[in-house]
């Protein structure tokens, strides 16, 4: 485990603002989802409080990505209820757009818009969805680009940046919408090892600022350092969840033990 | 990092740059690498040189020795024989008839020509009104015009007799430029928007208030829609636009048999005509012809088929089955039948379906069909571009809260269209050349005019020169389109640079 932790161990984490409030940010009750007849998500119940940082892990095909994609309605669920920030997701398009503009999402493959400059990537949604004046949107974009430490790249295009830089731009792009919740879908899985650190640093910084986060990731070092809850999923259901120390040291379910031994074993 | 001393090396002096040895740079190197790199390549090079030379040797004397000044094919041949030449092109036919190939039988502005360039004979004939006025003698007028045109140079007639189509084409360049080149001031886009109405007025003439009230009617409908949508929402706004459009241009009371009140647009035109009668002589569509026809049909087809094609492509991807089904059927039916068949359908069958007595302009019919035909192809080209876009782009746009139309406009279409540029331009070039097919439904396109020219006794038996001229006209336009698409692709390339 110490090996996995190296990427962030040199960083002092400031927990002063990482407070969990009683306010509920996301509430998922008895949610089920099928792809055709394939039952991907089964009876998911999950409540996330404002300020919570949750890491979701599990083997591939366990439904963890699908779960967080349901939260901003990139995938629709067939049964159960998802309430995000007080708005219940239904098939009504109006609610979907409202939820999406409150929830930021970072993808495994960055999904930056290649035909727009970095700055335009960051200002597009604020200008067209939030109707922010262009000047103001650009100031906000530069603020967040500085926050992810790449303001000097603002006028370049995504194709000219490294993977780590692109992912940091993707994070900045989401932050420009001033979301109250951030979803991360394996943000470091497509990155070279030396670039993982810069992205994780950005995510830790975000956690320090008190952002509500759900991260699908295999970075167990990150989970230990930042998360206040780790969720293990398998076969479309939540198998085990606990605070990180207990989750890693005394896993209860055999499936969890096996998974942890495989991922931390070597 | 110290190794054994035997492999240690330190450079003390820097080697200055020197020119490459002789034969390793410039033309010689290029020739050696590209033309004579092996025995086979050397043989192929020599063979190609021989082939090119023999083609040029037979074509160039014919082209360059061509006769420019003659009034008939026989005269051409006499001049050729007198010069002792074996072959010679008879460019005289182009020299004499190029105006006809460009404009067909589109009438010249004879009043202007006569009063500016033929003033003395005009005065002798009794002045403008005596020759061209309402009660004038038609035979005398035709004789006067023929004498005048024989007297004037083709260039004078080109610039002043055909000033209307000429001005329309020059304005077309001005209107298209801001669309093609983003570096031009954006204010020019208003010129582009106004252009269709100006062009209709210049080409067809008639009262200026016709196109003007149509334009004002459209603006009014959109303005009403905007006012309503600001108060009552988008849907009400869209309905208001449709309602206003119906009241201005159609007769919504027609279903209950009431006529007279609606449409509003002829009333407005009537009032304006009475107040300020302004206009140009009206020219009906059947007098349009020549390369001008290709430009009118081609440009309208290109401009209209792109948006329709994009909508069809989006419709084909729609999640709503009815819309998808309509788009697929439209595309497959239009694409599955040859254009020439559609043109015949338009010129004959359509008459049976329209109410008796209603006439449908032949040119308008062709423009509509060519547009629909091209838009089916554009739809498929754009669909290819949409399919090439990674799913992540749609998801990223969705996750930022962009609605369908915004994500299409800002994220999906800019990228999909960029990928589709070669295919789109390919379709446009095809459309432009297909305009020659209208010769079969009785419109006088440049090819049809070559037949008309050959039908005259002077030029009976001339083929190559006319076809080469027409080919050059088309080539110039198609080559520009092709070059422009390459420029656009280079300009829009933002990835991996």
């Amino acid at each position: 485990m110490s090996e996995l932790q190296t990427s962030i161990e040199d960083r002092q984490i400031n927990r002063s603002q990482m407070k969990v409030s009683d306010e509920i940010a996301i509430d998922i009750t008895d949610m089920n989802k099928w792809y055709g007849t394939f039952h991907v998500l089964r009876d998911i119940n999950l409540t996330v409080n404002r300020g919570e940082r949750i890491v979701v892990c599990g083997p591939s095909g366990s439904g963890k990505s699908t779960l967080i994609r349901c939260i901003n309605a990139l995938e629709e669920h067939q049964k159960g209820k998802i309430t995000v920030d007080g708005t219940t997701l239904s098939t009504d398009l109006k609610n979907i757009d409202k939820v999406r503009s409150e929830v930021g999402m970072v993808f495994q493959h960055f999904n930056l818009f290649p035909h727009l400059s970095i700055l335009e990537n960051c200002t597009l949604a604020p200008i067209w969805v939030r109707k922010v004046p262009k000047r103001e949107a650009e100031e906000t974009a530069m603020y967040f680009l500085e926050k992810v430490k790449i303001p000097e790249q603002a006028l370049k295009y995504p194709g000219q940046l490294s993977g780590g830089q692109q992912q940091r731009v993707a994070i900045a792009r989401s932050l420009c919408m001033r979301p109250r919740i951030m979803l991360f879908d394996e943000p470091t899985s497509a990155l070279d090892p030396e670039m993982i650190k810069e992205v994780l640093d950005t995510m830790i910084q975000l956690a320090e600022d008190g952002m509500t986060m759900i991260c699908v990731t295999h970075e167990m070092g990150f989970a230990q350092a930042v998360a206040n809850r780790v969720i293990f999923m398998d076969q479309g259901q939540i198998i085990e969840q606990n605070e990180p120390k207990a989750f890693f040291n005394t896993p209860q379910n055999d499936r969890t033990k096996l998974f942890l031994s495989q991922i931390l074993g070597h | 990092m110290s190794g054994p001393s035997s492999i240690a090396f330190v450079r003390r002096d820097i080697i200055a740059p020197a020119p490459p040895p002789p034969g390793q740079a410039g033309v010689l190197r290029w020739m050696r690498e590209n033309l004579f790199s092996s025995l086979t390549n050397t043989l192929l090079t020599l063979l190609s040189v021989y082939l090119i030379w023999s083609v040029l040797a037979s074509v160039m004397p014919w082209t360059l020795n061509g006769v420019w000044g003659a009034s008939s094919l026989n005269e051409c041949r006499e001049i050729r024989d007198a010069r002792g030449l074996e072959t010679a092109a008879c460019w005289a036919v182009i020299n004499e008839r190029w105006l006809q190939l460009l404009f067909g039988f589109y009438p010249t502005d004879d009043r202007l020509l006569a009063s500016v360039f033929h003033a003395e004979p005009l005065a002798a004939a009794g002045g403008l009104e005596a020759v061209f006025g309402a009660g004038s003698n038609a035979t005398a007028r035709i004789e006067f015009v023929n004498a005048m045109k024989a007297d004037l140079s083709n260039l004078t007639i080109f610039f002043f007799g055909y000033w209307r189509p000429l001005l329309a084409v020059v304005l077309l360049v001005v209107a298209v430029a801001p669309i093609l080149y983003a570096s031009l001031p954006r204010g020019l886009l208003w010129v582009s928007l106004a252009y269709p109405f100006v062009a209709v007025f210049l080409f067809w003439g008639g009262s200026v208030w016709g196109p003007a009230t149509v334009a004002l009617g459209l603006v009014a409908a959109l303005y009403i829609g905007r006012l309503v949508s600001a108060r009552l929402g988008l849907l009400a706004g869209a309905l208001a636009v449709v309602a206003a459009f119906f009241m201005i241009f159609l007769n919504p009371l027609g279903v209950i048999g009431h006529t007279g009140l609606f449409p509003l647009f002829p009333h407005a035109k009537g009032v304006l005509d009475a107040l300020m009668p302004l206009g140009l002589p009206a020219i009906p569509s059947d007098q349009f012809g020549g390369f001008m026809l290709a430009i009118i049909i081609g440009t309208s087809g290109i401009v209209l088929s792109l948006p329709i094609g994009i909508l069809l492509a989006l419709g084909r991807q729609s999640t709503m089955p009815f819309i998808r089904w309509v788009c697929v059927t439209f595309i497959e039916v239009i694409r599955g039948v040859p254009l020439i068949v559609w043109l015949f359908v338009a010129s004959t069958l359509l008459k049976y379906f329209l109410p008796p007595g209603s006439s449908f302009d032949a040119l308008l019919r062709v423009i509509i069909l060519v547009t629909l035909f091209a838009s089916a192809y554009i739809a498929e080209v754009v669909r290819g571009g949409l399919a090439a876009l990674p799913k992540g782009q749609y998801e990223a746009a969705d996750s930022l809260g962009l609605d369908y139309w915004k994500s299409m406009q800002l994220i999906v279409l800019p990228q999909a269209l960029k990928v589709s540029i070669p295919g789109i331009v390919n379709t446009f070039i095809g459309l432009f050349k297909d305009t020659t097919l209208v010769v079969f439904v009785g419109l006088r396109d440049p090819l049809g005019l070559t037949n008309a020219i050959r039908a005259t006794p002077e030029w009976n038996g001339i083929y190559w020169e006319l076809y080469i001229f027409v080919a050059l006209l088309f080539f110039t336009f198609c080559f520009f389109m092709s070059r422009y698409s390459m420029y656009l692709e280079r300009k829009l390339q933002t990835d991996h640079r």
Side-chain angles (χ1 to χ4, degrees):
Chain A
M1 181 177 307
S2 63
E3 194 193 329
L4 280 152
Q5 248 180 308
T6 48
S7 59
I8 49 171
E9 70 182 0
D10 53 335
R11 199 181 190 295
Q12 286 293 315
I13 292 175
N14 172 10
R15 293 184 175 268
S16 63
Q17 288 195 55
M18 293 165 82
K19 287 189 191 116
V20 179
S21 80
D22 294 338
E23 201 186 330
I24 291 171
I26 302 171
D27 187 36
I28 303 175
T29 1
D30 294 330
M31 195 257 281
N32 281 267
K33 174 170 177 60
W34 288 263
Y35 282 128
T37 55
F38 177 60
H39 201 168
V40 231
L41 292 177
R42 306 176 199 173
D43 289 342
I44 303 286
N45 282 291
L46 179 65
T47 306
V48 182
N49 286 357
R50 189 159 305 292
E52 257 199 300
R53 299 159 307 279
I54 292 180
V55 163
V56 183
C57 61
S60 64
S62 59
K64 48 195 192 311
S65 284
T66 313
L67 169 62
I68 69 164
R69 288 160 61 87
C70 281
I71 293 172
N72 68 350
L74 283 183
E75 306 279 357
E76 54 177 343
H77 57 285
Q78 277 81 37
K79 204 176 139 211
K81 201 172 126 188
I82 302 179
T83 307
V84 181
D85 231 6
T87 313
T88 302
L89 273 173
S90 58
T91 45
D92 184 3
L93 281 171
K94 214 163 211 165
N95 271 355
I96 289 180
D97 282 338
K98 182 161 181 289
V99 165
R100 281 173 180 168
S101 59
E102 301 294 334
V103 178
M105 179 143 190
V106 176
F107 299 87
Q108 180 178 2
H109 295 288
F110 333 134
N111 295 351
L112 294 179
F113 305 130
H115 62 301
L116 299 176
S117 70
I118 300 306
L119 190 62
E120 288 165 335
N121 262 281
C122 294
T123 56
L124 182 117
I127 290 175
W128 290 88
V129 180
R130 290 251 192 273
K131 314 283 181 205
V132 174
K134 189 168 179 237
R135 173 70 59 81
E136 199 186 317
E138 282 176 353
E139 278 166 14
T140 313
M142 288 313 293
Y143 170 78
F144 283 112
L145 285 174
E146 253 158 57
K147 194 138 197 173
V148 300
K149 302 192 180 68
I150 33 176
E152 71 282 359
Q153 314 280 9
L155 297 178
K156 289 191 179 168
Y157 285 88
Q160 295 164 292
L161 268 52
S162 74
Q165 290 173 323
Q166 289 195 44
Q167 193 61 296
R168 284 185 283 154
V169 172
I171 294 173
R173 176 176 73 177
S174 292
L175 292 177
C176 284
M177 285 293 280
R178 308 262 184 197
R180 311 187 64 179
I181 299 164
M182 285 286 286
L183 306 174
F184 293 84
D185 188 1
E186 306 206 25
T188 54
S189 304
L191 294 175
D192 291 342
E194 70 257 42
M195 293 176 181
I196 292 178
K197 183 180 179 302
E198 59 187 57
V199 171
L200 286 182
D201 269 346
T202 310
M203 290 168 63
I204 291 168
Q205 200 185 353
L206 209 54
E208 285 171 340
D209 292 347
M211 177 64 79
T212 312
M213 296 162 75
I214 302 184
C215 314
V216 173
T217 182
H218 292 136
E219 294 296 327
M220 292 304 142
F222 173 80
Q224 281 219 315
V226 176
N228 43 13
R229 199 173 356 154
V230 182
I231 293 176
F232 174 68
M233 286 185 73
D234 192 23
Q235 292 173 8
Q237 41 217 306
I238 295 177
I239 302 288
E240 190 164 347
Q241 55 172 314
N242 212 333
E243 48 128 353
K245 197 167 269 173
F247 179 84
F248 288 113
N249 295 337
T250 53
Q252 302 297 311
N253 189 295
D254 289 343
R255 192 67 195 81
T256 319
K257 287 177 192 163
L258 181 66
F259 176 76
L260 284 177
S261 73
Q262 278 168 345
I263 194 167
L264 304 173
H266 47 90
Chain B
M1 284 283 180
S2 62
S5 61
S6 57
I7 57 165
F9 171 76
V10 181
R11 179 172 291 287
R12 301 280 178 210
D13 39 23
I14 302 301
I15 303 171
Q24 288 298 322
V27 185
L28 275 181
R29 181 191 163 127
W30 182 88
M31 283 176 64
R32 203 181 54 239
E33 280 183 358
N34 293 292
L35 300 178
F36 305 108
S37 58
S38 71
L39 186 62
T40 334
N41 282 356
T42 308
L43 284 175
L44 284 174
T45 302
L46 293 175
L47 186 69
S48 311
V49 168
Y50 172 74
L51 281 176
I52 293 170
W53 181 79
S54 48
V55 168
L56 288 183
S58 58
V59 171
M60 291 318 278
W62 180 81
T63 313
L64 297 178
N65 288 333
V67 177
W68 283 92
S71 58
S72 72
L73 184 57
N74 283 333
E75 204 183 321
C76 259
R77 287 179 178 149
E78 280 162 23
I79 293 173
R80 179 192 68 192
D81 293 341
R83 285 196 204 154
L85 297 168
E86 219 168 279
T87 60
C90 186
W91 297 122
V93 66
I94 309 297
N95 199 7
E96 197 191 284
R97 297 298 184 106
W98 60 278
L99 283 176
Q100 204 179 359
L101 286 168
L102 289 183
F103 298 105
F105 297 109
Y106 191 87
T108 47
D109 191 342
D110 294 330
R111 282 168 184 254
L112 179 72
L113 286 176
S115 45
V116 178
F117 299 99
H118 214 55
E120 279 174 34
L122 184 68
L128 212 53
E129 280 311 303
V131 181
F132 296 105
S136 61
N137 180 342
T139 326
R141 185 168 66 235
I142 292 169
E143 267 173 29
F144 178 84
V145 167
N146 282 344
M148 174 177 75
K149 284 192 177 165
D151 200 35
L152 295 175
S153 78
N154 271 349
L155 269 183
T156 312
I157 300 177
F158 175 71
F159 282 115
F160 297 94
Y162 292 109
W163 67 271
R164 281 167 57 178
L166 206 60
L167 183 61
V169 171
V170 169
L171 288 179
L172 171 67
V173 175
V174 177
V176 165
I179 299 172
L180 296 189
Y181 299 101
S183 56
L184 293 169
R186 296 296 83 195
L188 275 177
L189 283 171
W190 291 106
V191 177
S192 316
L193 274 179
Y195 177 74
F197 304 99
V198 177
V200 165
F201 175 61
L202 283 174
F203 278 122
W204 278 270
S207 162
V208 71
W209 301 116
T213 40
V214 171
L216 286 177
L218 288 175
V219 170
L222 289 176
Y223 186 70
I224 290 169
R226 208 170 137 180
L227 281 186
V228 173
S229 76
R231 302 259 162 80
L232 303 170
L234 209 59
L235 186 67
L239 286 176
V241 171
V242 174
F245 184 85
F246 264 86
M247 284 194 277
I248 294 170
F249 295 109
L250 300 163
N251 182 9
L253 296 182
V255 276
I256 56 164
H258 182 278
T259 52
L261 178 58
F262 294 116
L264 296 171
F265 133 79
H267 300 308
K269 180 175 178 287
V271 170
L272 286 166
D273 270 335
L275 280 178
M276 208 194 300
L278 276 179
L280 290 169
I283 296 168
S285 294
D286 55 6
Q287 295 184 3
F288 283 47
F291 196 62
M292 186 184 94
L293 198 62
I295 291 183
I296 292 177
I297 300 174
T299 314
S300 339
I302 286 171
V303 169
L304 296 171
S305 67
L306 189 60
I308 298 178
I310 290 172
L311 287 179
L312 282 172
L314 293 179
R316 197 171 179 160
Q317 293 214 320
S318 168
T319 46
M320 285 175 260
F322 178 73
I323 291 180
R324 194 171 59 233
W325 180 82
V326 167
C327 291
V328 170
T329 313
F330 178 89
I331 292 170
E332 297 300 341
V333 168
I334 293 279
R335 215 166 45 135
V337 177
L339 177 58
I340 189 77
V341 174
W342 284 123
L343 290 175
F344 279 127
V345 167
S347 66
T348 55
L349 275 181
L350 220 53
K351 279 180 200 151
Y352 294 105
F353 296 114
L354 289 172
S358 66
S359 71
F360 204 60
D361 191 285
L363 185 53
L364 190 61
R365 235 162 30 202
V366 167
I367 288 178
I368 290 174
L369 268 176
V370 167
T371 302
L372 294 183
F373 196 75
S375 55
Y377 278 87
I378 295 285
E380 287 300 277
V381 173
V382 173
R383 187 166 72 102
L386 290 173
L389 206 62
K391 198 165 158 249
Q393 292 290 312
Y394 292 87
E395 287 178 353
D398 283 348
S399 76
L400 287 170
L402 293 166
D403 60 30
Y404 177 81
W405 290 109
K406 277 183 198 138
S407 73
M408 288 299 137
Q409 178 202 342
L410 300 166
I411 308 298
V412 176
L413 284 176
Q415 297 184 60
L417 290 179
K418 188 176 95 181
V419 180
S420 321
I421 288 171
I424 290 175
V425 174
N426 195 25
T427 310
F428 284 165
I429 288 177
L431 177 155
F432 191 65
K433 291 184 298 177
D434 278 351
T435 56
T436 49
L437 285 177
V438 301
V439 69
F440 293 110
V441 290
L443 295 181
R444 291 192 197 83
D445 87 305
L447 281 183
L449 285 163
T450 63
N451 291 332
I453 292 172
R454 244 194 322 278
T456 59
E458 299 94 56
W459 301 111
N460 194 354
I462 199 155
Y463 288 93
W464 284 99
E465 293 83 348
L466 291 170
Y467 287 143
I468 287 172
F469 182 71
V470 173
L472 275 179
L473 284 179
F474 275 99
F475 178 79
T476 312
F477 274 72
C478 296
F479 189 67
F480 167 75
M481 284 193 249
S482 149
R483 287 282 128 172
Y484 176 75
S485 87
M486 285 161 78
Y487 155 82
L488 202 58
E489 278 174 65
R490 263 199 315 280
K491 198 189 81 158
L492 296 179
Q493 187 168 22
T494 54
D495 38 356
H496 333 292
R497 61 173 174 186

